[in-house]
Amino acid sequence: MQAPDPIETILARLMPPALSQDAQVEIDAMIDELAGPEAEKVVGISSGRWLVRAVIGGGIAAAVGAMIAIFPMNSTSRVSTVLPMPAASELVLISESARIDSMTDEGWQENPDGSAMRALRLNAVEENNVRDEESGMEVLISEAREEILLMPISAF
């Protein structure tokens, strides 16, 4: 076995030489120049009006939510006959079906956690056939919807 001194000298030759003091100072100056001026620490004083702005923002959000609840934006839902809603015991579900009208490949999407997912856009239709026991009238209720199906990709 060799003495420890020759091994240390061999390892010392493998290490790159250190930068000179002048080069180190120039690099530090360049980094400071690229970083720009130091930011001043400015802290604004609260006017106390944040509560008013929060209440107004909450009111606007509540109004938008109420409008969406009253006037739904889904224009694809349709009812073949408009009837006043009778008691639930008078309606009998005759049949129900669900089908996919179309399917489109949307390609790959990346989740925030970095996993890859394959996206499929589905246009689905659900139909319910309901009969009113009292009048004997049958009503077809059709509801169209659009869904995005995400499937994890495990192999490339």
Side-chain angles (χ1 to χ4, degrees):
M1 185 166 129
Q2 295 181 351
D5 291 334
I7 293 175
E8 289 177 359
T9 56
I10 293 171
L11 289 176
R13 282 186 271 163
L14 293 175
M15 289 180 47
L19 293 174
S20 68
Q21 188 67 24
D22 293 336
Q24 187 67 37
V25 169
E26 286 181 22
I27 290 174
D28 288 342
M30 186 186 306
I31 290 174
D32 290 340
E33 180 183 327
L34 292 174
E38 290 187 26
E40 296 179 20
K41 294 183 180 180
V42 178
V43 177
I45 299 174
S46 175
S47 65
R49 297 184 56 92
W50 63 270
L51 181 62
V52 174
R53 288 191 300 265
V55 169
I56 290 173
I60 291 171
V64 169
M67 285 179 52
I68 290 173
I70 293 171
F71 306 109
M73 300 174 100
N74 187 0
S75 61
T76 58
S77 294
R78 60 186 186 275
V79 177
S80 60
T81 307
V82 178
L83 297 173
M85 193 64 177
S89 62
E90 297 177 8
L91 295 178
V92 176
L93 179 65
I94 297 173
S95 66
E96 61 182 348
S97 66
R99 69 177 188 274
I100 296 175
D101 279 347
S102 66
M103 182 170 29
T104 307
D105 188 5
E106 294 287 318
W108 288 10
Q109 291 183 358
E110 184 177 343
N111 279 349
D113 64 353
S115 62
M117 305 288 270
R118 182 176 177 189
L120 294 173
R121 184 176 301 271
L122 304 171
N123 289 325
V125 177
E126 285 187 18
E127 291 182 343
N128 294 326
N129 202 358
V130 180
R131 182 177 64 224
D132 181 14
E133 286 291 316
E134 187 175 318
S135 66
M137 183 182 292
E138 290 187 10
V139 178
L140 176 67
I141 301 171
S142 178
E143 179 182 1
R145 68 178 187 281
E146 185 176 75
E147 297 179 2
I148 295 181
L149 177 66
L150 297 174
M151 296 183 300
I153 299 173
S154 58
F156 293 98

